[in-house]
Amino acid sequence: MSDCLFCKMVAGEIKPDVVYEDDAVLAFRDINPQAPVHVLVIPKQHISTINDIQDEQAELIGRLYLGAKSVAEQEGIAAHGYRTVMNCNAAAGQTVFHIHLHLLGGRNLSWPPG
Ligand code: AMP
Ligand code: ZN
């Protein structure tokens, strides 16, 4: 997707603050952090929303969580706790239409979210 911000990051055209990368996923710091640790974990393959995930991409979605787990360990927040969240479409506040797992931590997080 040539007009997708996160695809441009995967392609190296835009350089985010990368904290983790493997063959399937890229993780980088959110530009507008909502917690001391706020990292976005994205698949390298473009998927617009949760609604667009295909059966054959199930393993890839698992890889997002494995990436988040690695980042949480790296950032020193794994034991204390953290939150992962993926927004879907307008009512949930999705603004970038390339799926991304938010990893939030480094402070106590309230529930329910807004
Ligand atoms: P969402 O609202 O769930 O779609 O989340 C999109 C996230 O992408 C927001 O938290 C933004 O702060 C973040 N974001 C937007 N542009 C950039 C960028 N250039 N680098 C890093 N994070 C970004
Ligand atoms: Zn994309």
Side-chain angles (χ1 to χ4, degrees):
M1 289 276 289
S2 57
D3 59 344
C4 170
L5 174 68
F6 289 175
C7 281
K8 285 180 179 160
M9 292 178 179
V10 172
E13 293 166 27
I14 294 174
K15 305 222 178 286
D17 184 359
V18 173
V19 295
Y20 176 85
E21 182 173 13
D22 62 31
D23 60 307
V25 310
L26 181 69
F28 51 88
R29 295 194 193 282
D30 195 292
I31 203 167
N32 183 24
Q34 302 301 311
V37 176
H38 188 175
V39 168
L40 303 178
V41 187
I42 71 168
K44 289 187 169 178
Q45 182 182 11
H46 181 88
I47 303 170
S48 297
T49 79
I50 295 174
N51 293 338
D52 300 297
I53 297 170
Q54 304 300 308
D55 288 358
E56 60 270 23
Q57 293 167 323
E59 198 247 345
L60 177 57
I61 302 309
R63 298 286 296 274
L64 291 180
Y65 283 90
L66 291 172
K69 173 184 139 179
S70 295
V71 174
E73 285 166 0
Q74 202 175 289
E75 295 288 319
I77 60 171
H80 189 62
Y82 57 92
R83 180 171 298 160
T84 58
V85 63
M86 188 182 289
N87 299 320
C88 182
N89 277 339
Q94 184 176 4
T95 58
V96 179
F97 288 84
H98 177 134
I99 61 167
H100 46 281
L101 197 57
H102 292 260
L103 167 61
L104 296 146
R107 65 171 170 84
N108 290 332
L109 300 162
S110 60
W111 191 263

